[in-house]
């Protein structure tokens, strides 16, 4: 399936160490960089091995939005008038991740989230004390704070007091990723951290009891045995670029057409970790989304399936819409809007499946059951006029009868509309980053973070922008500290 | 997580072999028994280790229905007037398993299915040349053949010509399991197969290259090293009885309340195989069902969700209904029927959530949105009267307007209604039973079959009764032959 061998090299077969370090980190993205900084600051000798010729990983390709809050609020939240509570953040994330939630990770993430914000600021990350009030995927201005999840929508608004927790760097446009990685790379460069680029991690080195003592890396075409006295951190991303792995482990994600990741997201860290005895969690899960807003006016529309029925409250986060859209029976997902409310969405690339002065005209053009679509819209309109949505409890601010003329945007997977995606399954770890076996033991010397691990975000149904970079940077830091404090072997 | 250690014992640490055999089989259920018979008939020395005090496994607890057909039909199919084709069977199973389908396994299963029928008959299994024509989960008479999947319902009926493929033994009531296991155990007893009961497999024994040479078994409180010259077959069932594993790997299944399995289904085979380097597939998947028929008259009803909307064609297999029922937003799943069509289902244990002369009365009693339920039923009735279902394409034979007085059966998970379940995820194997690593290599000496492997059935959405026992017995046989032909080591 892959050129990465999953079986570790035996320690007893290692005749020579070509390089020694305390902490070896595979991958110089957000997780690896943060781990390196913390491990170094805690006194450990650190080496990063990055398969590409430059730092960045998938964090550099992202918006670098970070989901943070709790503890009375980050500086930005407080400046914007929000007193976020740790319990609200915790209860929200637990509900959003649902039966996949990792309570221990969510607890630690919420407890230390404001500290994480302060640390990012101390590294040089600049966040403006301002809120971006539009419903958007990210702030394209230099504003900081916005709602990026499902906090204000049913059923989550009934579980925890909503608060915006998406933090965007002070930069115009979608340029947060390169900026954050520039900051983190600068901090790594200031420290005594050795970085090897164009260095491909091939396999781990384990002893006969399974403990990890290092890894084999190929640099300049030569295999080198690297001893890691305190441990190896796998922070090599997910497997969104490995088509064979996707088809085998996460086939639903192949409905997506825009992989979000860098070419190194081949699952190599996951494969190496599993080969060393690590358990894998939720390999079928991923972020799969339908970025139908901005413009936020499209939220006034309603999504219908091939039956012409609604299936979700349209005010939720775009990935939650996608999660339910791809689970509808029959082929067809459409966003029905008033033609005048329609503005071309910048990301979606959806074609207009039909238009009509009447719903019957629209339904016939699109190929939807006429009477059912007519009822769906009539029922929705009747209640929307009263600020009610008895079916899916869409928030009153997004309720408005859909008037003629009508338009239907084709959001059917495969129709040309974009469905970005990346993987969320990976190695089972403790909050410390220690990799677990299936019988619940830790594997001495082996750690994982970022999308190589199964972290806080585990399902598109409860995803929020900022959770993946938040998880990667936060748990990268935790793992870095944990490794620095681990006993040195050899 | 479990007392079963996942890490194999090192071959180099084995000082003494307490027992030697060609083929060691863990588990004396359907898969293990069939493997033993075939391996023995192919000339191998075989030992079965069973943790319980008797043979049976989960096959003995099942109806022992077997899904078979193709190649012009089994003897029973032909006698009942069905000329089944291999391509129809293949196309149906591929469509039913959808994006989880294992084409190679399905191909082999379909190609040799009639041979498997003949083999079961040659072992002593008795199948009457008769058809059970009712829509049912199993034949409670001694009749043999019935439709047990989604063959006749949308969208599958458009993919392949329908044919009944569920084969029930000639026995009254739900007594096929003990009968089939009695037959297979008798065949094992007739052969020179050593059987150790009360023998708990603890871990595999692997060499430094990962090849499996045997296993450690505890008998009478003493650990014994068992050398398996040709290989070890893990046929130890799934993990339906391991609550911790379920919550971690298949949390959706915890909506179920009736585990289908025996106390040994603790995932021990899966844990041992993964520890030896085996990849796991689709660990979150399972059979989860809502056995709402018989009586078949309930199929005239319609399922609605908390929105009062239909979500599936009600003529599908009961597990397909459950698959979609548990994915609906909001709490509530109800079967709406005409009160006079209502007959107490023997399995379901559903309470009547409400009754009414009018739909408004019913909706209010149940707590459903009145106008939406009224539309759902009116729209359904209007088309049903014409033999049409524009939404979900329910077959005309099950279309009949639902008249007053109405009743709603509460099918909400957690309401007391039964949702039987078992696991479908397991070790990734070739059709031969050889266990694969994540990088696509086989592990010499390691095989898996039955629910320890991820076999033909992989999703409740496309399940058919008879697929699990069919898969276990068929691929158990294949693995038995494969192992007997493997080179002998040591």
């Amino acid at each position: 399936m892959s050129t990465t061998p999953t079986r570790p090299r035996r320690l007893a077969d290692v005749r020579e160490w070509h390089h020694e370090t305390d902490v070896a980190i595979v991958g110089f993205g957000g997780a690896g960089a943060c781990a390196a900084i913390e491990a170094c600051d805690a006194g450990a000798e650190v080496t990063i091995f990055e398969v590409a010729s430059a730092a960045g990983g998938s964090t550099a390709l992202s918006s670098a939005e970070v989901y943070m809050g709790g503890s009375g609020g980050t500086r930005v939240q407080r400046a914007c008038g929000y007193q976020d509570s740790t319990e609200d953040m915790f209860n929200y994330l637990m509900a959003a991740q649902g039966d996949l939630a990792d309570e221990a990770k969510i607890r630690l993430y919420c407890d230390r989230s404001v500290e994480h914000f302060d640390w990012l600021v101390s590294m040089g990350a600049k966040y403006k004390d301002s809120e971006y009030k539009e419903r958007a995927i990210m702030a394209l201005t230099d504003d900081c704070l916005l709602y990026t999840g499902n906090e204000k929508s049913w059923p989550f608004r009934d579980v925890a007091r909503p608060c915006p927790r998406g933090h965007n760097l002070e930069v115009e446009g979608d340029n947060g990723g390169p900026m954050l990685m520039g900051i983190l790379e600068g901090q790594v460069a200031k420290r005594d951290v050795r970085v090897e680029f164009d260095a491909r991690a091939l396999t781990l080195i384990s002893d006969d009891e399974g403990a990890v003592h290092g890894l084999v890396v190929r640099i300049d075409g030569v295999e080198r045995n690297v001893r890691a006295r305190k441990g190896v951190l796998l922070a090599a991303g997910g497997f969104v670029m490995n088509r064979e792995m996707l088809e085998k482990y996460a086939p639903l994600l192949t409905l997506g057409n825009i992989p979000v990741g860098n070419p190194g997201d081949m699952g190599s860290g996951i494969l190496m970790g599993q080969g060393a005895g690590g358990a894998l969690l939720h390999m079928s899960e991923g972020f799969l989304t339908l970025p139908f807003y901005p413009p936020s006016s499209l939220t006034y529309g309603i999504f219908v399936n091939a039956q012409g029925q609604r299936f979700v409250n349209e005010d939720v986060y775009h990935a939650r819409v996608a999660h339910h859209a791809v689970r509808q029976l029959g082929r067809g997902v459409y966003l029905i809007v008033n033609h005048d409310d329609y503005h071309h969405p910048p990301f979606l690339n959806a074609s207009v499946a039909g238009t009509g002065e009447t719903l019957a005209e629209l339904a016939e053009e699109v190929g939807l059951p006429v009477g059912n679509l007519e009822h769906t819209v009539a029922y929705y309109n009747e209640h929307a006029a009263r600020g009610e949505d008895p079916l899916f409890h869409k928030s009153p601010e997004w309720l408005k009868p859909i008037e003629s003329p009508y338009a239907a945007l084709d959001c059917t997977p495969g129709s040309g509309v974009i469905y970005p995606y990346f993987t969320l399954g990976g190695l089972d770890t403790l909050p410390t980053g220690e990799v677990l076996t299936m019988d619940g033991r830790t594997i001495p010397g082996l750690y994982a973070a970022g999308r190589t691990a199964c972290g806080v975000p585990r399902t598109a149904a409860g995803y929020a922008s900022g959770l993946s970079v938040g998880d990667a940077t936060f748990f990268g830091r935790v793992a870095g500290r944990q490794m620095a404090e681990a006993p040195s072997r050899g």
Side-chain angles (χ1 to χ4, degrees), chain A:
Chain A
M1 150 156 301
S2 159
T3 53
T4 301
T6 58
R7 196 171 168 74
R9 179 170 291 183
R10 286 184 69 213
L11 179 64
D13 292 338
V14 173
R15 304 226 173 133
E16 185 185 356
W17 293 113
H18 303 98
H19 179 69
E20 301 206 14
T21 186
D22 286 336
V23 169
I25 296 174
V26 180
F28 197 170
C34 290
I37 293 166
E38 288 280 14
C40 185
D41 288 354
E45 189 186 345
V46 179
T47 310
I48 302 176
F49 299 96
E50 167 58 47
V51 69
S53 303
S58 292
T59 301
L61 300 176
S62 77
S63 306
E65 213 163 37
V66 179
Y67 192 89
M68 297 180 285
S71 307
T74 63
R75 187 202 75 219
V76 179
Q77 284 179 316
R78 283 182 280 109
C80 295
Y82 294 100
Q83 278 202 309
D84 198 7
S85 98
T86 305
E87 281 316 292
D88 281 326
M89 184 178 177
F90 174 81
N91 290 337
Y92 170 69
L93 285 175
M94 287 296 291
Q97 298 304 311
D99 58 10
L100 303 186
D102 181 329
E103 185 174 343
K105 278 185 184 154
I106 290 176
R107 174 56 73 192
L108 189 67
Y109 187 79
C110 295
D111 281 351
R112 300 205 195 155
S113 183
V114 168
E115 184 276 334
H116 190 50
F117 173 86
D118 295 339
W119 182 85
L120 287 169
V121 170
S122 77
M123 290 292 109
K126 289 199 178 4
Y127 297 102
K128 196 170 155 185
D129 283 336
S130 64
E131 183 176 4
Y132 187 82
K133 298 219 177 194
E134 286 295 298
R135 171 162 156 85
I137 292 174
M138 65 196 82
L140 292 174
T141 62
D142 65 355
D143 292 308
C144 176
L145 191 65
L146 79 167
Y147 278 101
T148 58
N150 299 293
E151 297 86 351
K152 290 194 289 185
S153 41
W154 176 81
F156 307 104
R157 63 176 183 233
D158 302 329
V159 170
R161 197 183 47 142
C163 191
R165 301 193 181 97
H167 286 69
N168 288 270
L169 290 160
E170 189 172 347
V171 58
E172 301 271 345
D174 188 15
N175 297 305
M179 175 181 262
L180 180 63
M181 279 312 301
I183 290 165
L184 295 174
E185 192 180 0
Q187 289 289 344
V188 168
K190 274 203 246 174
R191 288 166 172 80
D192 189 19
V193 172
R194 178 165 169 178
V195 182
E196 295 280 356
F197 290 108
D198 303 306
R200 183 179 293 278
L202 296 177
T203 190
L204 295 165
I205 296 170
S206 296
D207 67 24
D208 291 334
E209 280 68 52
V212 170
H213 292 262
L215 76 164
V216 184
V217 180
R218 190 168 60 217
I219 302 175
D220 295 335
V222 180
E223 285 190 16
R224 306 193 189 181
N225 296 320
V226 177
R227 170 180 240 162
R229 298 179 204 100
K230 287 170 176 284
V232 175
L233 174 69
L234 300 171
F239 59 100
V240 70
M241 294 301 179
N242 189 327
R243 190 74 192 176
E244 240 184 311
M245 272 185 84
L246 273 181
E247 286 173 358
K248 189 153 201 171
Y249 296 102
L252 198 64
L253 292 186
T254 64
L255 287 175
N257 52 3
I258 308 277
V260 177
N262 77 81
D265 284 320
M266 292 292 288
S268 59
I270 290 171
L271 292 168
M272 282 191 282
Q274 193 269 355
L280 298 179
L281 271 187
H282 308 312
M283 287 292 284
S284 60
E285 295 294 329
F287 171 88
L288 175 68
T289 196
L290 181 64
F292 70 101
Y293 58 88
S296 59
S297 63
L298 293 179
T299 309
Y300 290 119
I302 58 173
F303 280 99
V304 300
N305 56 22
Q307 291 79 40
Q309 294 174 335
R310 286 175 71 212
F311 56 86
V312 73
N313 36 330
E314 297 80 5
D315 60 338
V316 295
Y317 181 68
H318 46 98
R320 186 168 170 85
V321 169
H323 176 88
H324 291 286
V326 300
R327 283 165 174 77
Q328 299 303 302
L329 270 174
R331 184 176 158 75
V333 177
Y334 305 95
L335 179 58
I336 311 291
V337 293
N338 167 260
H339 198 276
D340 302 330
D341 272 342
Y342 172 71
H343 301 284
H344 192 65
F347 306 121
L348 196 62
N349 195 39
S351 56
V352 174
T355 56
E357 293 296 319
T358 66
L359 287 164
E361 209 181 308
L362 181 77
E364 274 170 19
E365 192 171 335
V366 176
L368 291 171
V370 175
N372 222 37
L373 184 68
E374 284 176 335
H375 165 78
T376 296
V377 176
Y379 188 86
Y380 176 80
N381 283 354
E382 175 198 338
H383 293 89
R386 297 201 294 263
E388 293 169 7
D389 173 14
L391 302 192
F392 294 102
H393 317 289
K394 189 173 171 178
S395 299
E397 64 172 313
W398 296 113
L399 288 170
K400 188 177 83 171
I402 303 171
E403 313 275 1
S404 169
Y406 306 101
L409 278 183
D410 195 345
C411 296
T412 311
S415 68
V417 67
I418 77 159
Y419 274 89
Y421 66 105
F422 58 84
T423 61
L424 293 174
L427 288 161
D428 188 11
T429 55
L430 292 177
T432 54
E434 294 166 277
V435 175
L436 292 167
T437 63
M438 280 191 84
D439 52 356
R441 291 177 296 107
T442 56
I443 298 172
L446 188 60
Y447 300 79
R451 296 289 60 77
T452 303
C454 190
V456 164
R458 297 182 165 199
T459 166
Y463 197 82
S465 292
L467 275 183
S468 184
V469 172
D471 172 88
T473 53
F474 179 84
F475 288 102
R477 291 180 60 211
V478 174
R481 282 195 300 270
Q482 181 79 17
M483 295 173 81
E485 288 158 16
S488 185
R489 296 160 311 168

